Amino acid sequence: MHKLSTSSKFYHRNFSKTVLATVLFLSTYYLLLPALPLYMQTLGTNKFEIGLIMGIFSISSLILRPISGQLVDVYGRKKVMLISILIYLVTPLFYFWGTSIAVLAFIQIFYGFAMGSYTTSSTTYVADIAPAHMVASVVGWFSIAIILAKGIAPAVGTRFYQSAGFMLLVWFSVLIAVIALFITRRIEEPTLAKDPANQSIPYLKVITDKKILLPTLTLFCGLITFGAISVMLPLFAHSRGIINIENFFVLHTLTVVFTRVFTGKLGQKHLSTLVIISMLLLILSLALMSIVNTMGQLLTVAVIYGLGYGAFYPVLSALVVIHTPIHQRGTTLGFFTTAFDLGVSAGTVLGGLSEFVGFRAVYLGTSLIPLAGLLLFILVYLPHLRALGAKSSSV
């Protein structure tokens, strides 16, 4: 069995380094994100091919994330973080092979694995070193680092591309990755004493465990809302004649950050209640979106949705981490976080049905999915946890 003991000083020092390294490393790809389509367009690549190539990143991250989760448990959190950065650092060499669709797609596979494996390993690491009563709060704070990287880097990358060109932008991202590598190397990983019986982790057994599978399904149902609301917002706003939708994203992001700063303050025993409240807010957001016609109404949804979305992921993640043995956390989080990508993608597809039935019907119909997730959480997952608790206390 794993043994983990960290002091408060150890936790704060290494958590800060991990947050900084994560912001820097995730920024490397998101610097390139807005420039890549523009670069491919200059090569004569059509829009369909560009969409296909860019989509390979998500597919690669989705498929390879569970594999990276297993590697995290077998080889250690820090080692996989370092390997992820090294994989990213070799990608510029592929640009010298040519600019064919096949080469560009191959590069996206490497990008997807590097980003997916780093976030899995770093999230597992901070969950490991966090004091038990602070897991939800720590995951919430850590997720803010990811939000910052995804929010700031594309704007910087766009300006850099316009002034210096694509290849200089690529090498700039490499420089940032090198800095992230240096910081990651300085992170101290606590010794995890492994039981030899746990060296080989049965992946199928882990992901079919109800205390892992049920919250993963709950996450999928909840994250449907992100694809349906945030991704489809430009089209929705256009259909309602609403302009300046950047106000929605600004207010939503501020609300999410505010919520996650305070996530976990109520303590471990309130995590289940927070999941229920956040899911109710997600359901309410979809229902309200069906009647939005003005900017004021849209901004109201931005706040309500920000509160629900901001609390939902960190508190549900904390429940998963708390009820997962340390030696299985990488595998578990690798599987659990795939529900994030799948939920967003499914929500986007459902939002596309507005072409045929309108946004009102889409939002009302889609709200039934997080409702189903809420019922699954209350009627199946929570009783399962109580049964496990009763069983362990009687032993």
Side-chain angles (χ1 to χ4, degrees):
M1 185 174 182
H2 284 55
K3 298 178 181 179
L4 179 63
S5 177
T6 59
S7 67
S8 176
K9 183 178 180 181
F10 178 95
Y11 156 70
H12 286 292
R13 181 174 64 245
N14 288 285
F15 177 73
S16 299
K17 292 177 184 176
T18 306
V19 169
L20 179 57
T22 300
V23 170
L24 289 172
F25 184 59
L26 293 189
S27 295
T28 58
Y29 178 74
Y30 287 96
L31 281 168
L32 302 178
L33 186 62
L36 273 167
L38 298 175
Y39 173 68
M40 286 187 278
Q41 193 171 48
T42 63
L43 299 175
T45 310
N46 62 48
K47 292 180 180 178
F48 175 76
E49 292 169 337
I50 291 173
L52 185 63
I53 293 171
M54 296 301 293
I56 290 175
F57 172 84
S58 298
I59 296 172
S60 172
S61 179
L62 178 66
I63 295 175
L64 297 176
R65 196 190 294 265
I67 297 174
S68 66
Q70 286 187 289
L71 296 177
V72 167
D73 286 331
V74 174
Y75 296 107
R77 287 57 163 143
K78 177 180 174 179
K79 184 174 290 186
V80 175
M81 291 164 70
L82 292 171
I83 291 172
S84 302
I85 299 176
L86 291 174
I87 289 174
Y88 183 88
L89 288 175
V90 303
T91 54
L93 301 178
F94 296 131
Y95 287 106
F96 294 106
W97 285 6
T99 55
S100 66
I101 293 177
V103 172
L104 294 172
F106 191 66
I107 293 172
Q108 287 294 97
I109 293 175
F110 272 68
Y111 283 154
F113 179 78
M115 296 297 117
S117 60
Y118 192 91
T119 52
T120 299
S121 52
S122 58
T123 302
T124 305
Y125 175 80
V126 298
D128 283 346
I129 66 173
H133 66 284
M134 291 178 59
V135 172
S137 180
V138 168
V139 173
W141 273 102
F142 187 68
S143 64
I144 292 175
I146 298 176
I147 292 174
L148 289 174
K150 291 183 177 181
I152 298 174
V156 175
T158 300
R159 181 62 63 88
F160 197 107
Y161 173 75
Q162 292 172 345
S163 60
F166 182 73
M167 288 311 300
L168 279 179
L169 177 61
V170 170
W171 291 114
F172 177 59
S173 74
V174 167
L175 175 61
I176 295 176
V178 170
I179 298 173
L181 179 68
F182 176 76
I183 297 173
T184 302
R185 286 194 61 189
R186 296 178 64 85
I187 293 172
E188 304 165 89
E189 187 166 25
T191 301
L192 301 180
K194 295 183 178 180
D195 183 333
N198 290 325
Q199 291 288 343
S200 179
I201 301 171
Y203 182 67
L204 288 178
K205 184 177 180 180
V206 171
I207 67 174
T208 54
D209 188 330
K210 288 184 178 179
K211 66 178 181 291
I212 297 171
L213 179 61
L214 293 174
T216 300
L217 292 174
T218 302
L219 180 66
F220 169 79
C221 293
L223 266 297
I224 288 280
T225 58
F226 187 87
I229 295 178
S230 295
V231 177
M232 298 301 294
L233 186 61
L235 295 178
F236 171 80
H238 179 74
S239 70
R240 296 293 191 271
I242 301 174
I243 59 175
N244 299 325
I245 61 170
E246 63 273 11
N247 294 327
F248 173 94
F249 292 109
V250 171
L251 187 57
H252 169 71
T253 301
L254 290 175
T255 307
V256 170
V257 171
F258 174 82
T259 303
R260 291 186 176 178
V261 166
F262 294 98
T263 295
K265 293 292 185 179
L266 296 179
Q268 183 175 323
K269 65 180 180 179
H270 297 290
L271 292 178
S272 299
T273 302
L274 285 173
V275 172
I276 293 171
I277 293 173
S278 62
M279 291 202 75
L280 287 172
L281 290 172
L282 293 179
I283 296 167
L284 177 61
S285 299
L286 281 173
L288 291 176
M289 282 295 289
S290 68
I291 59 174
V292 165
N293 286 295
T294 67
M295 174 58 78
Q297 294 171 341
L298 185 62
L299 293 180
T300 300
V301 173
V303 174
I304 295 173
Y305 181 57
L307 291 171
Y309 176 76
F312 178 62
Y313 176 71
V315 294
L316 189 59
S317 299
L319 275 176
V320 172
V321 169
I322 289 169
H323 294 95
T324 300
I326 292 177
H327 67 277
Q328 292 182 357
R329 280 183 180 173
T331 304
T332 297
L333 289 175
F335 173 68
F336 176 72
T337 53
T338 60
F340 193 105
D341 300 317
L342 285 172
V344 173
S345 299
T348 304
V349 172
L350 290 172
L353 295 178
S354 59
E355 175 73 20
F356 309 104
V357 299
F359 277 105
R360 180 181 177 86
V362 163
Y363 284 132
L364 289 176
T366 303
S367 68
L368 297 176
I369 299 176
L371 176 60
L374 177 60
L375 294 176
L376 176 71
F377 182 81
I378 296 174
L379 300 179
V380 184
Y381 179 61
L382 291 183
H384 179 66
L385 290 185
R386 286 194 288 268
L388 290 177
K391 182 178 179 180
S392 61
S393 62
S394 65
V395 175

